[in-house]
Amino acid sequence: MPIATPEAYAEMLDRAKANGFAYPAINVTSSQTLNAALRGFAEAESDGIIQVSTGGAEFLSGTTVKDMVTGAVALAEYARVVAKNYPVTIALHTDHCPKEKLDGFMRPLIQMSAERVARGEEPLFQSHMWDGSAVPLEENLTIAAELLEKCAKARVIMEMEIGVVGGEEDGIVGEMNEKLYTTPADALATAEAVGLGEKGRYLLAATFGNVHGVYKPGHVKLRPSVLKEIQEAVGAKYGKEKPFDLVFHGGSGSALEEIHEAISYGVVKMNIDTDTQYAFTRPIVDHMFRNYDGVLKVDGEVGKKKMYDPRSYGKAAEAGMAARVVQACQDLKSAGQKMR
């Protein structure tokens, strides 16, 4: 059972929250980056989450095809085949889906899972993210309620975002303003609109100064205490401790103590993309610089086939990214926590 069943995914999230760790959610854009993530989780003895964004799914379909659903389905099916060789449990997730892409990405994928479940099969993905950060909160929550109902019927967990993550990812730009910090009022409105699990399980990406991309230390002003405030406000009203399963977006450059503080307030998932992209690309650059006259046919020479064979630098790239995934598991305390 390398790809999590709905029950196994729920158990993963429950274990993380109860035992004070979070899962790295690794964005992938190819079969090779998928393999790197699987390798990293296995080496860390950690279960994990592998996810694809709208842009990543589009890229996976072929650069002239650019069909998000095709790319996402291809990734999920490929993952089911190759993940069987790794002794960890993996959940598949789709990342940020804004309003204008719902009909071309998230809704069709939910429908596919619903059809699979009706046939007695497992859902295609284990969770999907609705990104309503660009619309007013009331509209965000109205759409979230509709999507949550559909996800619940398809045995899929929904992720949603309140507040805004700054920076840019896949063309989604978040401004750097007060909306970077979710308020208790936002959280209370969320609980009222979509419940606290009784209408379907969801993950909540509440913002506390998060910014997509990579920045020098000191640029990002995180306030993890915001997460504590919203958990306490909603928990007090509904009589539940840490009522939300929280997600940490835009964490590149965050101090380890900030990450651990966020986990202590109920973060169970942390998205990682920028850092693993660099860890994948850096060994390729090293290979090209070191083997310039091998990867290129310079001055009429023939080069060296072993040097320009994509497998030669691809192996180094996979190893580099896998090592960064291991580090992420260690930082988030999921290393050694696998269920089987």
Side-chain angles (χ1 to χ4, degrees):
M1 190 192 63
I3 300 300
T5 62
E7 293 80 10
Y9 191 25
E11 183 182 352
M12 282 172 59
L13 299 173
D14 289 342
R15 290 180 73 246
K17 197 169 184 181
N19 296 312
F21 66 89
Y23 294 105
I26 308 298
N27 279 74
V28 300
T29 54
S30 65
S31 60
Q32 193 168 20
T33 50
L34 169 68
N35 282 325
L38 289 169
R39 173 178 169 179
F41 284 125
E43 291 179 354
E45 297 188 344
S46 169
D47 301 317
I49 300 167
I50 290 177
Q51 59 191 24
V52 62
S53 65
T54 55
E58 190 177 83
F59 181 79
L60 273 156
S61 74
T63 56
T64 59
V65 177
K66 296 184 177 180
D67 184 85
M68 296 179 288
V69 171
T70 296
V73 172
L75 174 79
E77 297 291 5
Y78 181 81
R80 277 178 163 73
V81 175
V82 297
K84 293 177 182 177
N85 297 313
Y86 296 88
V88 289
T89 304
I90 300 296
L92 300 176
H93 175 79
T94 61
D95 203 7
H96 295 269
C97 184
K99 180 182 176 182
E100 65 271 16
K101 294 184 178 180
L102 283 172
D103 289 339
F105 189 56
M106 186 170 167
R107 285 192 175 111
L109 291 173
I110 296 172
Q111 180 59 32
M112 285 182 186
S113 285
E115 291 169 1
R116 289 168 65 101
V117 168
R119 295 193 299 266
E121 303 171 13
E122 302 292 349
L124 186 64
F125 283 84
Q126 284 66 61
S127 53
H128 296 289
M129 183 192 177
W130 149 238
D131 184 353
S133 61
V135 301
L137 182 63
E138 184 176 356
E139 183 181 3
N140 180 350
L141 296 177
T142 298
I143 294 172
E146 172 245 318
L147 292 171
L148 182 61
E149 183 179 3
K150 287 182 169 62
C151 283
K153 290 178 180 177
R155 302 183 70 210
V156 168
I157 292 174
M158 186 185 75
E159 180 179 328
M160 60 179 291
E161 182 173 318
I162 53 173
V164 175
V165 176
E168 179 177 352
E169 181 177 54
D170 275 353
I172 301 172
V173 180
E175 296 182 7
M176 310 283 278
N177 55 34
E178 74 283 350
K179 292 182 180 179
L180 291 178
Y181 304 95
T182 299
T183 66
D186 296 337
L188 287 163
T190 300
E192 184 174 348
V194 295
L196 291 174
E198 69 278 6
K199 298 179 182 180
R201 187 163 187 170
Y202 64 92
L203 304 172
L204 182 66
T207 55
F208 52 104
N210 321 56
V211 178
H212 284 134
V214 62
Y215 303 90
K216 292 182 178 179
H219 178 85
V220 179
K221 306 297 184 185
L222 290 179
R223 283 172 36 208
S225 59
V226 166
L227 302 181
K228 182 173 184 283
E229 292 165 7
I230 68 171
Q231 293 278 42
E232 289 179 345
V234 175
K237 179 174 180 179
Y238 291 90
K240 295 182 69 173
E241 185 179 0
K242 296 180 186 175
F244 294 119
D245 295 331
L246 298 174
V247 182
F248 189 159
H249 287 230
S252 294
S254 301
L256 196 57
E257 57 266 28
E258 293 173 328
I259 294 172
H260 289 170
E261 183 182 354
I263 292 172
S264 76
Y265 300 142
V267 165
V268 296
K269 172 180 181 279
M270 180 174 174
N271 290 10
I272 299 174
D273 188 12
T274 303
D275 294 346
T276 43
Q277 285 180 342
Y278 183 77
F280 184 85
T281 301
R282 179 65 180 82
I284 298 175
V285 175
D286 182 69
H287 177 92
M288 300 302 173
F289 282 165
R290 289 178 182 273
N291 301 288
Y292 179 80
D293 58 348
V295 296
L296 296 178
K297 298 180 179 181
V298 180
D299 296 333
E301 294 297 328
V302 296
K304 297 177 182 177
K305 183 180 182 303
K306 286 186 177 180
M307 293 295 103
Y308 59 76
D309 183 336
R311 289 172 293 184
S312 62
Y313 51 86
K315 289 177 183 176
E318 180 183 313
M321 180 172 164
R324 184 61 184 83
V325 173
V326 171
Q327 181 190 329
C329 293
Q330 293 168 342
D331 290 348
L332 298 184
K333 304 181 183 181
S334 69
Q337 296 277 2
K338 67 177 185 176
M339 293 192 295
R340 64 186 184 91

